[in-house]
Amino acid sequence: MNKVFNSFDEAVSDIPDNSTLMIDGFAGPGGTSQNLIAALRNLGSKNLTIISNTAGLASVIGFGTLPGQTPVDIGVLVENNQVKKVIASFPVSPSPSRPTAFEKAYAKHEVELELVPQGTLAERIRAGGAGIPAFFTPTGVDTRVSEGKEIREFNGKKYVLETALKADFALIRAYQSDRLGNLVYKGTSKNFNSVMVTAATISIVEVDKIVETGAIESALIDTPLLYVDRIVEIKENNER
Amino acid sequence: MNKVFNSFDEAVSDIPDNSTLMIDGFAGPGGTSQNLIAALRNLGSKNLTIISNTAGLASVIGFGTLPGQTPVDIGVLVENNQVKKVIASFPVSPSPSRPTAFEKAYAKHEVELELVPQGTLAERIRAGGAGIPAFFTPTGVDTRVSEGKEIREFNGKKYVLETALKADFALIRAYQSDRLGNLVYKGTSKNFNSVMVTAATISIVEVDKIVETGAIESALIDTPLLYVDRIVEIKENNER
Amino acid sequence: MKDRLNREIIAMRVAKELQDGDVVNLGIGIPSLCSQFIPEGKTVIYHSESGVLNYGPMAEEGFEDQDLINASGQFLAPVDGMSFFSSSDAFAMIRGGHIDVTVLGALQVSKSGDLANWMIPSRGIGNVGGAMDLAVGAKKVIVAMEHNDKNGSSKIVNECSFPLTSKSCVSLIVTDIAVIQVVKSGLQLLECAPGWTKEDVQNETEVELIFEKGIKEFTL
Amino acid sequence: MKDRLNREIIAMRVAKELQDGDVVNLGIGIPSLCSQFIPEGKTVIYHSESGVLNYGPMAEEGFEDQDLINASGQFLAPVDGMSFFSSSDAFAMIRGGHIDVTVLGALQVSKSGDLANWMIPSRGIGNVGGAMDLAVGAKKVIVAMEHNDKNGSSKIVNECSFPLTSKSCVSLIVTDIAVIQVVKSGLQLLECAPGWTKEDVQNETEVELIFEKGIKEFTL
């Protein structure tokens, strides 16, 4: 039972064309699996469906980015014509003068978009990991995002039926993993990461450090090992 | 914003007749709010609906109980004729010769039962706390527990629609709380406790120790403060 | 033209609405400024969709941490009693009714409290983010915005022409010229900015406002 | 009467089915004994509905902790890499297909792999516990039980007369006299206990078993 891979390239090498991927992070470089994204860009798999909170924001507006850094995000996959569709809650730049690569491709009808409210996105992913095929939520009722979907009242209030999201692969950044695959995230880099890791057939995780089993105290484990398939340690000479 | 109460009696004093309560614990005394249950027994509120994994098991069969201990559980409320209905997954004793107080009352038609598979129970409670009124689950399809409920197929597999559970009060045992109400549970005493605390209008928590805010490291907080309304520290001279 | 209140004063007025112990989620823009104006002695707990509760001040220069941000991408300082959680948990808190107040910006608010704040139709694409969840899930929704758009048109409208965020969700609107409450029969003017009369405010507002006695000058 | 295998041998035979890296949930009774019989060199990860993953041996006397139990109420020893979680997460793992194998006891198993293990109708009330979730959610369901009930009746039946836990969920049945696989056309006898012929096993079984060549003696 060895989950440790030696390189990012090796860890993503079997991601085929037409795959559905969950890619982590809130919007900034913190909690974004930049090394795995770069490896997937190098691999070049095409026609990908990407499930993610944004469609690549930090690379154009520097969201949550420390001075002098140039983060890698989904934008590089869009620019490389690898992306067929994006399922996201925050796909465009808040600054119209600095559009995302996704927006430009979308304007040229090169990429599709499914826009999902952020809480519904998180809950659909959780549902995918938790064996719940569909659930009702109040979010989006009487708006564009619920058009064509089933609406039902419970206790006099209207709710929309939303379905689970699953992926073939998840690309995840964590802080540490032990050799079994138990993960710890840092601070606000737990948000989408800890949910997406549960909803993919194969979850690939890049970590700052792989430690011996037992080095992470039980009470600190955020993601239990059964959700983790592959682990790659970020080497010191790697800047991301 | 003071959440700290000085006694168990005071913390439960406003629980009226006809309330719905979530009561914590898996089955044994670990993670069961024994002091709050005893206080509710003393208060004597009637016609209660109790949502819990068992209907009181440790007190009759010693489940998860250390030698020489006599745990307090829901059984004392049933014996005191305070309970109208129980919603549980494991309501009876696995040992027919040592029936639970609930079973005896049930045989005399003094109390109602809604039997729910354990995972569905946990998910219904989570849904109650998370603003999800209903969800589909594969558990219980083609069995008694889905009788009369909506069945729907997703991707060729059958699922049953289950609805959220909420409560007026939750009685919860945790290990530590800080003054703001951030909680830590110990080991396997996190199971139903950390879900129920999210699904009640008023969550009342007994803890081994109340510590200053900051004494619990952020990464160790299991339940963020917004789910906690009342905290009572278990005094040293209290044996439970 | 009369003076309009600046963004800080709008935020200061909104802050007055926050009660001791409230759990509050602040949107980007003017709403994010509110946290500076909480009176001493009141404890307000901030929640962010980035998966954090009980954050405080922003990080000082040189101490920024990319793993410690709010939903606006600002770097936070570590604080005692701060907790972190998943996005599904962050929105369970929102949708489950555990957030007392959210302060949001708006493109339009209608007579019946409908909110439109996620998409300018001419752009053809927009960001929903957490706004729909917050609008539907928070116990109280306060809108903090400029009263009129760049062309001078009223952002308080009879019917929203922009795509909706949520129907009938707004409780209170605080703008650079007025404080307006959403009531059953429509929009009631509560306060006017210094130097503004109720007629002045009405002139800038598409919706016919309800005037009851006791309209006050902006109070902070 | 021929000798039947004891509970430990049944558990030992089931343990042979577990693969390196498997995440396994063991029910109460015979299933709970399986963990003692994992061959060296294989890593099997145990999950319990009490909210724990990767537990190992039971606690030694004097070191029991009421906050460290499995779903049978046994006290566990702390182990490196053990993790704890909520019941909603414990069952998200089960229902979401993240458990490779569950070993459950049974009152009845039908020809088509239906499982009944939660209620004896004469008692009028029963415990569902986590059984329905496990039966429907685990990738593979193995039943470990005695072949016949106390009255000698076959627990392997054409149709379950007891309330169902889940339909068509069982893959393999290991009893005190046989190992039987659920296949599309019915129940196929794979192995007989030492000294038992296929006819002997058939005599104790209500369902007409499928015999293909290669029926072996119980192998451990």
Side-chain angles (χ1 to χ4, degrees):
Chain A
M1 201 186 68
N2 177 32
K3 298 180 176 180
V4 179
F5 280 61
N6 288 319
S7 75
F8 304 108
D9 289 340
E10 198 191 331
V12 304
S13 64
D14 60 350
I15 299 180
D17 292 352
N18 305 305
S19 299
T20 296
L21 285 104
M22 292 184 180
I23 297 185
D24 62 352
F26 186 78
T32 296
S33 51
Q34 300 184 65
N35 297 287
L36 293 169
I37 295 170
L40 178 58
R41 153 100 187 41
N42 294 342
L43 181 67
S45 320
K46 300 280 184 197
N47 270 322
L48 304 175
T49 296
I50 309 281
I51 300 166
S52 190
N53 190 34
T54 77
L57 200 60
S59 56
V60 291
I61 66 158
F63 185 103
T65 306
L66 293 168
Q69 292 207 340
T70 47
V72 172
D73 60 24
I74 301 165
V76 301
L77 304 176
V78 175
E79 279 169 355
N80 198 34
N81 301 312
Q82 293 177 255
V83 180
K84 182 181 69 178
K85 181 178 178 180
V86 169
I87 302 176
S89 90
F90 210 93
V92 305
S93 170
S95 163
S97 62
R98 285 175 294 172
T100 63
F102 170 81
E103 278 173 88
K104 294 187 229 170
Y106 184 80
K108 289 188 266 180
H109 307 285
E110 291 170 357
V111 60
E112 298 163 48
L113 171 65
E114 181 178 341
L115 186 68
V116 183
Q118 196 172 132
T120 301
L121 183 65
E123 190 68 11
R124 290 177 68 189
I125 298 167
R126 178 191 178 272
I132 302 294
F135 58 89
F136 285 96
T137 174
T139 304
V141 167
D142 292 322
T143 77
R144 284 196 184 184
V145 302
S146 64
E147 277 172 18
K149 295 176 184 165
E150 178 180 338
I151 305 291
R152 192 185 294 198
E153 276 194 24
F154 295 90
N155 300 315
K157 188 172 162 186
K158 287 194 284 185
Y159 297 85
V160 54
L161 185 67
E162 294 281 359
T163 54
L165 287 171
K166 297 180 81 163
D168 302 310
F169 297 89
L171 305 187
I172 303 294
R173 169 73 174 253
Y175 172 48
Q176 289 190 334
S177 174
D178 67 22
R179 297 207 156 261
L180 294 173
N182 289 302
L183 303 182
V184 183
Y185 307 94
K186 246 177 146 172
T188 50
S189 292
K190 190 175 185 171
N191 41 45
F192 274 97
N193 304 26
S194 64
V195 195
M196 289 179 169
V197 76
T198 72
T201 307
I202 295 175
S203 288
I204 311 172
V205 186
E206 60 173 70
V207 295
D208 286 21
K209 196 155 180 53
I210 297 175
V211 299
E212 290 308 312
T213 300
I216 305 174
E217 201 187 320
S218 291
L220 287 170
I221 294 172
D222 290 314
T223 290
L225 64 95
L226 53 60
Y227 291 119
V228 176
D229 299 289
R230 300 175 188 174
I231 321 162
V232 194
E233 187 175 89
I234 301 169
K235 297 288 179 273
E236 304 220 348
N237 59 353
N238 187 310
E239 303 230 328
R240 287 182 193 108
Chain B
M1 200 187 69
N2 177 31
K3 299 180 176 179
V4 178
F5 280 61
N6 288 319
S7 75
F8 304 109
D9 289 341
E10 198 192 331
V12 304
S13 64
D14 60 349
I15 299 181
D17 292 352
N18 305 306
S19 299
T20 296
L21 285 103
M22 290 182 181
I23 297 186
D24 62 352
F26 186 78
T32 296
S33 52
Q34 300 184 64
N35 297 286
L36 293 169
I37 294 170
L40 179 59
R41 154 105 188 34
N42 294 342
L43 181 68
S45 320
K46 299 280 184 198
N47 270 323
L48 304 175
T49 296
I50 308 281
I51 300 167
S52 190
N53 190 34
T54 77
L57 200 59
S59 56
V60 292
I61 65 157
F63 184 104
T65 307
L66 294 168
Q69 293 206 339
T70 47
V72 172
D73 60 24
I74 301 164
V76 301
L77 305 176
V78 175
E79 278 169 356
N80 198 34
N81 300 313
Q82 293 176 257
V83 180
K84 182 181 70 176
K85 181 178 178 180
V86 169
I87 302 176
S89 90
F90 211 92
V92 306
S93 170
S95 164
S97 61
R98 286 174 294 171
T100 63
F102 170 82
E103 278 174 271
K104 293 187 230 169
Y106 184 80
K108 288 189 267 178
H109 306 286
E110 290 170 358
V111 60
E112 297 164 49
L113 171 66
E114 180 178 341
L115 187 68
V116 183
Q118 195 172 132
T120 300
L121 183 65
E123 190 68 11
R124 290 177 68 190
I125 297 167
R126 178 191 177 272
I132 301 294
F135 58 89
F136 285 95
T137 173
T139 304
V141 168
D142 292 322
T143 78
R144 285 195 184 185
V145 303
S146 65
E147 276 171 19
K149 295 177 184 166
E150 178 181 337
I151 305 291
R152 193 185 293 199
E153 275 193 24
F154 294 90
N155 299 317
K157 188 172 163 185
K158 288 194 284 186
Y159 297 85
V160 54
L161 185 68
E162 295 280 0
T163 55
L165 287 171
K166 297 180 81 162
D168 302 310
F169 297 89
L171 306 187
I172 302 294
R173 169 73 173 254
Y175 172 49
Q176 289 189 335
S177 174
D178 67 22
R179 298 208 157 260
L180 294 174
N182 289 304
L183 303 183
V184 183
Y185 307 94
K186 246 178 148 171
T188 51
S189 291
K190 189 176 187 172
N191 42 45
F192 275 98
N193 304 27
S194 63
V195 195
M196 289 180 169
V197 75
T198 71
T201 307
I202 296 176
S203 288
I204 311 172
V205 185
E206 61 174 68
V207 295
D208 286 21
K209 195 153 183 55
I210 298 175
V211 298
E212 291 308 312
T213 301
I216 305 174
E217 199 187 321
S218 292
L220 287 170
I221 294 172
D222 290 315
T223 291
L225 63 95
L226 52 59
Y227 291 119
V228 176
D229 298 290
R230 300 175 189 175
I231 321 162
V232 194
E233 187 175 88
I234 301 169
K235 297 287 179 275
E236 302 220 351
N237 59 353
N238 188 310
E239 303 230 331
R240 281 176 199 116
Chain C
M1 237 172 88
K2 303 193 182 218
D3 277 351
R4 289 177 179 246
L5 303 172
N6 66 25
R7 294 155 56 93
E8 280 71 24
I9 304 288
I10 299 175
M12 214 181 285
R13 177 61 189 82
V14 171
K16 227 189 89 185
E17 297 292 315
L18 306 179
Q19 305 300 316
D20 188 44
D22 272 355
V23 177
V24 176
N25 184 302
L26 301 175
I28 54 176
I30 299 172
S32 71
L33 304 174
C34 296
S35 61
Q36 308 168 36
F37 303 113
I38 306 303
E40 264 194 59
K42 266 193 203 171
T43 304
V44 170
I45 306 284
Y46 296 103
H47 172 274
S48 173
E49 305 95 295
S50 62
V52 57
L53 187 71
N54 196 32
Y55 66 84
M58 301 303 132
E60 288 180 44
E61 218 185 300
F63 290 88
E64 298 94 344
D65 177 354
Q66 64 174 16
D67 295 312
L68 201 47
I69 61 165
N70 66 14
S72 304
Q74 295 170 304
F75 298 106
L76 305 175
V79 162
D80 285 349
M82 191 176 212
S83 59
F84 306 111
F85 32 82
S86 70
S87 295
S88 53
D89 285 348
F91 283 91
M93 294 173 187
I94 292 172
R95 224 179 19 234
H98 307 285
I99 307 296
D100 296 300
V101 181
T102 188
V103 187
L104 296 172
L107 297 167
Q108 295 180 326
V109 182
S110 85
K111 191 176 174 171
S112 55
D114 297 353
L115 173 66
N117 78 349
W118 70 272
M119 185 184 176
I120 301 169
S122 61
R123 197 167 175 196
I125 188 170
N127 287 321
V128 171
M132 285 190 184
D133 298 281
L134 283 162
V136 89
K139 286 185 198 155
K140 183 173 185 174
V141 177
I142 301 177
V143 163
M145 65 174 189
E146 273 115 25
H147 204 90
N148 302 83
D149 68 16
K150 283 169 190 165
N151 307 317
S153 300
S154 174
K155 293 169 72 175
I156 299 174
V157 294
N158 288 311
E159 287 288 338
C160 292
S161 58
F162 291 0
L164 284 188
T165 304
S166 180
K167 271 199 167 175
S168 306
C169 60
V170 178
S171 296
L172 193 76
I173 309 165
V174 180
T175 76
D176 48 1
I177 62 171
V179 178
I180 294 167
Q181 191 170 18
V182 182
V183 296
K184 275 195 185 160
S185 48
L187 300 181
Q188 182 183 349
L189 183 65
L190 296 183
E191 300 176 18
C192 300
W196 289 70
T197 65
K198 57 185 182 183
E199 292 77 14
D200 295 336
V201 170
Q202 181 64 74
N203 282 341
E204 299 291 336
T205 311
E206 177 183 311
V207 178
E208 194 170 329
L209 298 172
I210 300 167
F211 302 137
E212 296 203 348
K213 44 185 168 186
I215 297 174
K216 293 186 293 193
E217 191 169 282
F218 235 75
T219 52
L220 294 174
Chain D
M1 236 171 87
K2 302 192 182 216
D3 277 351
R4 288 176 178 248
L5 303 173
N6 65 25
R7 293 155 56 91
E8 280 71 23
I9 305 287
I10 299 174
M12 213 181 285
R13 177 61 189 81
V14 171
K16 227 190 89 186
E17 297 292 316
L18 307 178
Q19 305 301 313
D20 188 43
D22 272 355
V23 177
V24 176
N25 184 301
L26 301 176
I28 54 176
I30 300 172
S32 71
L33 305 174
C34 296
S35 61
Q36 308 168 37
F37 303 113
I38 305 303
E40 264 193 59
K42 266 193 204 173
T43 304
V44 170
I45 306 284
Y46 295 103
H47 172 275
S48 173
E49 305 95 295
S50 61
V52 57
L53 186 72
N54 196 32
Y55 67 85
M58 301 302 132
E60 286 180 46
E61 218 185 301
F63 291 88
E64 298 93 345
D65 176 354
Q66 65 176 15
D67 296 311
L68 200 48
I69 61 165
N70 66 14
S72 304
Q74 296 170 303
F75 298 106
L76 305 175
V79 161
D80 284 350
M82 190 177 213
S83 59
F84 306 111
F85 33 83
S86 70
S87 295
S88 54
D89 284 348
F91 283 90
M93 293 173 187
I94 293 171
R95 224 179 19 234
H98 308 285
I99 307 296
D100 296 301
V101 181
T102 187
V103 187
L104 296 172
L107 298 167
Q108 295 179 327
V109 182
S110 85
K111 192 176 174 173
S112 56
D114 296 354
L115 173 65
N117 78 349
W118 69 272
M119 185 184 177
I120 301 169
S122 61
R123 197 168 176 196
I125 188 170
N127 287 323
V128 172
M132 285 190 185
D133 298 281
L134 283 162
V136 89
K139 285 185 200 155
K140 183 173 185 174
V141 178
I142 299 176
V143 163
M145 66 174 189
E146 273 115 25
H147 203 91
N148 303 83
D149 69 17
K150 284 168 188 165
N151 306 318
S153 300
S154 175
K155 292 169 73 175
I156 299 175
V157 295
N158 287 311
E159 287 288 338
C160 293
S161 58
F162 290 1
L164 284 189
T165 304
S166 180
K167 271 199 166 175
S168 307
C169 60
V170 177
S171 296
L172 193 76
I173 309 165
V174 179
T175 77
D176 48 1
I177 62 172
V179 178
I180 294 167
Q181 191 171 18
V182 182
V183 295
K184 277 195 183 158
S185 48
L187 300 181
Q188 182 183 350
L189 183 65
L190 296 184
E191 300 176 17
C192 300
W196 290 70
T197 64
K198 58 187 182 180
E199 291 77 14
D200 294 336
V201 170
Q202 182 63 73
N203 282 341
E204 299 291 336
T205 310
E206 177 182 312
V207 178
E208 194 168 330
L209 298 171
I210 299 167
F211 302 137
E212 297 203 347
K213 45 187 167 182
I215 297 173
K216 294 186 293 193
E217 191 169 283
F218 235 74
T219 51
L220 296 172

